Amino acid sequence: MKYVSVNKLSDFEFHDAEFALEIFDNKCLRVKAIYLNIHKDAEQNQHVTDMEINLAYITFEEFNLLSYEPGVAWKQDEHGEFHPTEPQIILTDEYAHARFLEQLKNGLTIFDLGEKEPNTYFIDAMSKDPFFTVCFTFKNVSIEWDEYKKQAWYVSK
């Protein structure tokens, strides 16, 4: 690949990116990503604006899924506070892995990907499940791509 970014997730804007499973071997997770954007100040971006990457491959080494939390409906009370309308369930272990891999095989639309706390990350996304959150750790992450497609969608508005 022409461009490679290692351990610099903050160089990218993940909102509205789509991920699809390439490989998961219980140690390494590799996804194909479209609609991924890179910030203008990232080392690999020679453009004067944030840019959409044509096609990227993201590899998480020593990927460890901690939890999978399916979304539930929320309702606002008379004081303006929101509360879930049903119990929130957090899946762990093989149940979390199975559910997450099923969603990745169907393709994910990412709402957010970020660091929840030091060395623990989250993805808010939708797929067949209308909304879910996963928490995970990894040792290293690399993002590789060959070309840029156009200005990021949020720049051209």
Side-chain angles (χ1 to χ4, degrees):
M1 294 265 137
K2 186 175 178 180
Y3 303 100
V4 178
S5 173
V6 178
N7 295 330
K8 292 190 177 181
L9 290 176
S10 62
D11 283 351
F12 298 88
E13 183 62 44
F14 292 92
H15 184 76
D16 287 343
E18 294 182 8
F19 288 5
L21 180 65
E22 281 286 304
I23 299 168
F24 179 63
D25 70 2
N26 292 322
K27 294 179 186 172
C28 175
L29 173 65
R30 182 175 168 97
V31 298
K32 180 170 39 174
I34 57 174
Y35 309 123
L36 177 64
N37 296 293
I38 186 168
H39 295 294
K40 65 183 177 184
D41 56 350
E43 179 182 344
Q44 295 84 359
N45 187 356
Q46 304 305 313
H47 298 86
V48 296
T49 186
D50 287 13
M51 295 294 292
E52 181 181 322
I53 294 169
N54 191 42
L55 173 66
Y57 293 91
I58 304 173
T59 305
F60 296 93
E61 297 173 16
E62 295 186 30
F63 179 85
N64 180 34
L65 187 68
L66 302 173
S67 64
Y68 180 101
E69 183 177 355
V72 296
W74 291 70
K75 186 175 181 180
Q76 191 173 20
D77 67 17
E78 62 277 358
H79 304 291
E81 296 183 27
F82 286 91
H83 304 278
T85 60
E86 56 191 273
Q88 291 183 280
I89 300 168
I90 298 177
L91 303 173
T92 57
D93 300 329
E94 68 273 0
Y95 302 108
H97 280 104
R99 191 80 170 262
F100 183 52
L101 289 176
E102 177 184 334
Q103 302 308 319
L104 273 171
K105 288 175 186 175
N106 292 318
L108 308 179
T109 298
I110 307 299
F111 297 124
D112 198 6
L113 186 157
E115 195 167 16
K116 184 174 182 171
E117 53 189 60
N119 301 314
T120 301
Y121 294 81
F122 72 93
I123 293 175
D124 289 334
M126 71 176 200
S127 182
K128 278 193 165 185
D129 279 353
F131 180 81
F132 64 90
T133 299
V134 291
C135 291
F136 59 97
T137 61
F138 58 85
K139 184 174 182 180
N140 293 299
V141 60
S142 62
I143 301 176
E144 304 170 84
W145 68 99
D146 282 326
E147 60 188 11
Y148 295 96
K149 187 172 184 178
K150 60 183 180 179
Q151 282 187 339
W153 62 268
Y154 49 86
V155 173
S156 58
K157 285 192 164 200

Short mmCIF file of all heavy atoms in Angstrom, two decimals, residues 11-45:
data_model
loop_
_atom_site.label_atom_id
_atom_site.label_comp_id
_atom_site.label_asym_id
_atom_site.label_seq_id
_atom_site.Cartn_x
_atom_site.Cartn_y
_atom_site.Cartn_z
N ASP A 11 -5.88 10.70 13.71
CA ASP A 11 -5.69 11.33 12.40
C ASP A 11 -6.90 11.14 11.48
O ASP A 11 -6.95 11.72 10.40
CB ASP A 11 -4.45 10.77 11.69
CG ASP A 11 -3.15 11.33 12.25
OD1 ASP A 11 -3.19 12.28 13.06
OD2 ASP A 11 -2.08 10.81 11.87
N PHE A 12 -7.85 10.33 11.90
CA PHE A 12 -8.96 9.94 11.03
C PHE A 12 -10.31 10.34 11.61
O PHE A 12 -10.48 10.43 12.82
CB PHE A 12 -8.92 8.43 10.80
CG PHE A 12 -7.67 7.98 10.11
CD1 PHE A 12 -6.53 7.68 10.85
CD2 PHE A 12 -7.61 7.91 8.74
CE1 PHE A 12 -5.36 7.29 10.23
CE2 PHE A 12 -6.43 7.53 8.10
CZ PHE A 12 -5.30 7.22 8.84
N GLU A 13 -11.25 10.56 10.71
CA GLU A 13 -12.64 10.82 11.07
C GLU A 13 -13.44 9.61 10.62
O GLU A 13 -13.51 9.31 9.43
CB GLU A 13 -13.14 12.09 10.37
CG GLU A 13 -14.54 12.48 10.74
CD GLU A 13 -14.69 12.80 12.21
OE1 GLU A 13 -13.85 13.51 12.79
OE2 GLU A 13 -15.69 12.32 12.80
N PHE A 14 -14.02 8.91 11.58
CA PHE A 14 -14.69 7.64 11.30
C PHE A 14 -16.20 7.77 11.07
O PHE A 14 -16.82 6.85 10.57
CB PHE A 14 -14.44 6.65 12.45
CG PHE A 14 -13.01 6.21 12.52
CD1 PHE A 14 -12.10 6.89 13.31
CD2 PHE A 14 -12.57 5.12 11.78
CE1 PHE A 14 -10.78 6.49 13.36
CE2 PHE A 14 -11.25 4.71 11.83
CZ PHE A 14 -10.35 5.40 12.63
N HIS A 15 -16.78 8.93 11.41
CA HIS A 15 -18.23 9.09 11.29
C HIS A 15 -18.68 8.81 9.85
O HIS A 15 -18.15 9.38 8.91
CB HIS A 15 -18.66 10.49 11.72
CG HIS A 15 -20.14 10.67 11.71
ND1 HIS A 15 -20.95 10.13 12.69
CD2 HIS A 15 -20.96 11.27 10.83
CE1 HIS A 15 -22.20 10.43 12.41
NE2 HIS A 15 -22.24 11.11 11.28
N ASP A 16 -19.64 7.92 9.71
CA ASP A 16 -20.22 7.48 8.43
C ASP A 16 -19.32 6.56 7.62
O ASP A 16 -19.67 6.19 6.50
CB ASP A 16 -20.69 8.65 7.57
CG ASP A 16 -21.96 9.29 8.10
OD1 ASP A 16 -22.65 8.66 8.92
OD2 ASP A 16 -22.26 10.42 7.70
N ALA A 17 -18.15 6.19 8.15
CA ALA A 17 -17.34 5.17 7.47
C ALA A 17 -18.08 3.84 7.55
O ALA A 17 -18.89 3.61 8.46
CB ALA A 17 -15.96 5.06 8.13
N GLU A 18 -17.81 2.99 6.59
CA GLU A 18 -18.39 1.65 6.60
C GLU A 18 -17.29 0.62 6.68
O GLU A 18 -16.31 0.71 5.93
CB GLU A 18 -19.26 1.43 5.35
CG GLU A 18 -20.47 2.34 5.34
CD GLU A 18 -21.38 2.11 4.14
OE1 GLU A 18 -21.16 1.14 3.37
OE2 GLU A 18 -22.32 2.90 3.97
N PHE A 19 -17.45 -0.32 7.60
CA PHE A 19 -16.48 -1.40 7.80
C PHE A 19 -17.10 -2.73 7.36
O PHE A 19 -18.28 -2.97 7.61
CB PHE A 19 -16.12 -1.56 9.28
CG PHE A 19 -15.26 -0.48 9.88
CD1 PHE A 19 -14.89 0.66 9.18
CD2 PHE A 19 -14.82 -0.61 11.18
CE1 PHE A 19 -14.11 1.64 9.76
CE2 PHE A 19 -14.04 0.37 11.79
CZ PHE A 19 -13.68 1.49 11.07
N ALA A 20 -16.28 -3.57 6.76
CA ALA A 20 -16.68 -4.94 6.43
C ALA A 20 -15.55 -5.87 6.83
O ALA A 20 -14.36 -5.55 6.65
CB ALA A 20 -16.98 -5.07 4.94
N LEU A 21 -15.90 -7.01 7.36
CA LEU A 21 -14.92 -7.98 7.84
C LEU A 21 -14.06 -8.51 6.70
O LEU A 21 -14.58 -8.93 5.67
CB LEU A 21 -15.62 -9.14 8.54
CG LEU A 21 -14.72 -10.24 9.09
CD1 LEU A 21 -13.82 -9.71 10.21
CD2 LEU A 21 -15.56 -11.40 9.59
N GLU A 22 -12.77 -8.50 6.88
CA GLU A 22 -11.83 -9.15 5.98
C GLU A 22 -11.35 -10.45 6.63
O GLU A 22 -11.48 -11.50 6.06
CB GLU A 22 -10.63 -8.24 5.69
CG GLU A 22 -10.90 -7.17 4.67
CD GLU A 22 -10.96 -7.72 3.26
OE1 GLU A 22 -10.00 -8.36 2.80
OE2 GLU A 22 -11.99 -7.49 2.60
N ILE A 23 -10.75 -10.31 7.84
CA ILE A 23 -10.17 -11.46 8.54
C ILE A 23 -10.33 -11.26 10.05
O ILE A 23 -10.15 -10.16 10.56
CB ILE A 23 -8.64 -11.57 8.27
CG1 ILE A 23 -8.35 -11.77 6.78
CG2 ILE A 23 -8.02 -12.71 9.08
CD1 ILE A 23 -6.89 -11.60 6.43
N PHE A 24 -10.66 -12.34 10.73
CA PHE A 24 -10.55 -12.35 12.19
C PHE A 24 -10.05 -13.73 12.58
O PHE A 24 -10.69 -14.74 12.31
CB PHE A 24 -11.89 -12.06 12.88
CG PHE A 24 -11.78 -12.10 14.38
CD1 PHE A 24 -10.98 -11.18 15.04
CD2 PHE A 24 -12.43 -13.05 15.13
CE1 PHE A 24 -10.85 -11.20 16.43
CE2 PHE A 24 -12.32 -13.09 16.51
CZ PHE A 24 -11.52 -12.16 17.16
N ASP A 25 -8.88 -13.78 13.19
CA ASP A 25 -8.28 -15.06 13.56
C ASP A 25 -8.06 -15.20 15.06
O ASP A 25 -7.16 -15.91 15.49
CB ASP A 25 -6.98 -15.28 12.79
CG ASP A 25 -5.86 -14.36 13.23
OD1 ASP A 25 -6.06 -13.55 14.17
OD2 ASP A 25 -4.76 -14.44 12.66
N ASN A 26 -8.88 -14.53 15.85
CA ASN A 26 -8.80 -14.53 17.32
C ASN A 26 -7.61 -13.74 17.86
O ASN A 26 -7.45 -13.63 19.06
CB ASN A 26 -8.80 -15.95 17.90
CG ASN A 26 -10.14 -16.62 17.70
OD1 ASN A 26 -11.18 -15.97 17.82
ND2 ASN A 26 -10.12 -17.90 17.40
N LYS A 27 -6.75 -13.22 17.01
CA LYS A 27 -5.65 -12.37 17.45
C LYS A 27 -5.61 -11.08 16.65
O LYS A 27 -5.21 -10.05 17.15
CB LYS A 27 -4.31 -13.09 17.28
CG LYS A 27 -4.13 -14.29 18.17
CD LYS A 27 -2.80 -14.95 17.92
CE LYS A 27 -2.71 -16.24 18.71
NZ LYS A 27 -1.52 -17.00 18.37
N CYS A 28 -6.02 -11.17 15.41
CA CYS A 28 -5.92 -10.04 14.49
C CYS A 28 -7.28 -9.81 13.83
O CYS A 28 -7.90 -10.75 13.33
CB CYS A 28 -4.86 -10.35 13.44
SG CYS A 28 -4.72 -9.13 12.14
N LEU A 29 -7.73 -8.57 13.86
CA LEU A 29 -8.96 -8.19 13.18
C LEU A 29 -8.58 -7.24 12.06
O LEU A 29 -7.91 -6.23 12.28
CB LEU A 29 -9.93 -7.48 14.14
CG LEU A 29 -11.17 -6.88 13.50
CD1 LEU A 29 -12.07 -7.97 12.91
CD2 LEU A 29 -11.94 -6.05 14.50
N ARG A 30 -9.01 -7.58 10.85
CA ARG A 30 -8.76 -6.74 9.68
C ARG A 30 -10.09 -6.45 9.01
O ARG A 30 -10.85 -7.37 8.71
CB ARG A 30 -7.81 -7.43 8.70
CG ARG A 30 -7.45 -6.60 7.48
CD ARG A 30 -6.41 -7.34 6.64
NE ARG A 30 -6.22 -6.77 5.35
CZ ARG A 30 -5.25 -5.91 5.03
NH1 ARG A 30 -4.40 -5.53 5.97
NH2 ARG A 30 -5.12 -5.45 3.81
N VAL A 31 -10.35 -5.15 8.81
CA VAL A 31 -11.59 -4.73 8.15
C VAL A 31 -11.26 -3.89 6.93
O VAL A 31 -10.21 -3.24 6.87
CB VAL A 31 -12.52 -3.93 9.10
CG1 VAL A 31 -12.96 -4.78 10.29
CG2 VAL A 31 -11.88 -2.65 9.57
N LYS A 32 -12.16 -3.93 5.98
CA LYS A 32 -12.10 -3.06 4.81
C LYS A 32 -12.97 -1.86 5.14
O LYS A 32 -14.07 -2.02 5.66
CB LYS A 32 -12.64 -3.82 3.60
CG LYS A 32 -12.61 -3.04 2.33
CD LYS A 32 -12.93 -3.86 1.08
CE LYS A 32 -13.99 -4.89 1.27
NZ LYS A 32 -14.37 -5.57 0.03
N ALA A 33 -12.49 -0.65 4.84
CA ALA A 33 -13.22 0.56 5.18
C ALA A 33 -13.40 1.45 3.96
O ALA A 33 -12.45 1.67 3.19
CB ALA A 33 -12.49 1.34 6.27
N ILE A 34 -14.64 1.93 3.78
CA ILE A 34 -14.91 2.95 2.78
C ILE A 34 -15.50 4.16 3.50
O ILE A 34 -15.95 4.05 4.64
CB ILE A 34 -15.85 2.45 1.66
CG1 ILE A 34 -17.18 1.95 2.22
CG2 ILE A 34 -15.16 1.37 0.83
CD1 ILE A 34 -18.20 1.57 1.16
N TYR A 35 -15.47 5.29 2.85
CA TYR A 35 -15.95 6.56 3.40
C TYR A 35 -15.17 6.99 4.65
O TYR A 35 -15.68 7.75 5.47
CB TYR A 35 -17.45 6.53 3.72
CG TYR A 35 -18.30 6.04 2.57
CD1 TYR A 35 -19.14 4.95 2.73
CD2 TYR A 35 -18.24 6.66 1.33
CE1 TYR A 35 -19.91 4.49 1.67
CE2 TYR A 35 -19.01 6.20 0.27
CZ TYR A 35 -19.85 5.12 0.45
OH TYR A 35 -20.60 4.67 -0.60
N LEU A 36 -13.95 6.52 4.76
CA LEU A 36 -13.07 6.92 5.87
C LEU A 36 -12.37 8.21 5.46
O LEU A 36 -11.90 8.34 4.33
CB LEU A 36 -12.04 5.82 6.14
CG LEU A 36 -11.00 6.11 7.22
CD1 LEU A 36 -11.67 6.25 8.58
CD2 LEU A 36 -9.97 4.99 7.25
N ASN A 37 -12.29 9.15 6.39
CA ASN A 37 -11.66 10.44 6.11
C ASN A 37 -10.41 10.62 6.96
O ASN A 37 -10.35 10.16 8.09
CB ASN A 37 -12.65 11.58 6.39
CG ASN A 37 -13.83 11.53 5.47
OD1 ASN A 37 -13.69 11.73 4.28
ND2 ASN A 37 -15.00 11.22 6.00
N ILE A 38 -9.44 11.34 6.38
CA ILE A 38 -8.19 11.64 7.09
C ILE A 38 -8.11 13.16 7.26
O ILE A 38 -8.47 13.92 6.35
CB ILE A 38 -6.96 11.08 6.34
CG1 ILE A 38 -5.69 11.28 7.16
CG2 ILE A 38 -6.85 11.65 4.94
CD1 ILE A 38 -4.49 10.50 6.64
N HIS A 39 -7.67 13.59 8.43
CA HIS A 39 -7.57 15.01 8.72
C HIS A 39 -6.44 15.66 7.92
O HIS A 39 -5.44 15.02 7.60
CB HIS A 39 -7.36 15.24 10.21
CG HIS A 39 -8.52 14.79 11.04
ND1 HIS A 39 -9.75 15.39 10.98
CD2 HIS A 39 -8.64 13.78 11.94
CE1 HIS A 39 -10.58 14.78 11.81
NE2 HIS A 39 -9.94 13.79 12.39
N LYS A 40 -6.62 16.93 7.63
CA LYS A 40 -5.67 17.65 6.78
C LYS A 40 -4.28 17.76 7.40
O LYS A 40 -3.29 17.88 6.69
CB LYS A 40 -6.19 19.04 6.43
CG LYS A 40 -6.36 19.98 7.60
CD LYS A 40 -6.94 21.30 7.16
CE LYS A 40 -7.18 22.22 8.34
NZ LYS A 40 -7.84 23.45 7.92
N ASP A 41 -4.18 17.70 8.73
CA ASP A 41 -2.88 17.84 9.38
C ASP A 41 -2.18 16.49 9.61
O ASP A 41 -1.10 16.45 10.19
CB ASP A 41 -3.01 18.61 10.68
CG ASP A 41 -4.01 17.99 11.65
OD1 ASP A 41 -4.75 17.08 11.25
OD2 ASP A 41 -4.05 18.44 12.81
N ALA A 42 -2.77 15.40 9.12
CA ALA A 42 -2.12 14.09 9.26
C ALA A 42 -0.90 14.02 8.34
O ALA A 42 -0.90 14.59 7.24
CB ALA A 42 -3.10 12.97 8.91
N GLU A 43 0.11 13.35 8.77
CA GLU A 43 1.37 13.25 8.03
C GLU A 43 1.18 12.73 6.60
O GLU A 43 1.83 13.21 5.67
CB GLU A 43 2.32 12.31 8.79
CG GLU A 43 3.65 12.09 8.13
CD GLU A 43 4.52 11.12 8.91
OE1 GLU A 43 4.24 10.85 10.08
OE2 GLU A 43 5.49 10.62 8.31
N GLN A 44 0.30 11.77 6.39
CA GLN A 44 0.12 11.16 5.08
C GLN A 44 -0.78 11.97 4.15
O GLN A 44 -0.92 11.63 2.98
CB GLN A 44 -0.49 9.75 5.21
CG GLN A 44 0.39 8.76 5.90
CD GLN A 44 0.26 8.84 7.42
OE1 GLN A 44 -0.47 9.66 7.96
NE2 GLN A 44 0.99 8.01 8.11
N ASN A 45 -1.41 13.01 4.64
CA ASN A 45 -2.31 13.81 3.81
C ASN A 45 -1.58 15.06 3.33
O ASN A 45 -1.35 15.99 4.10
CB ASN A 45 -3.57 14.18 4.60
CG ASN A 45 -4.61 14.86 3.75
OD1 ASN A 45 -4.39 15.14 2.57
ND2 ASN A 45 -5.74 15.15 4.35
#
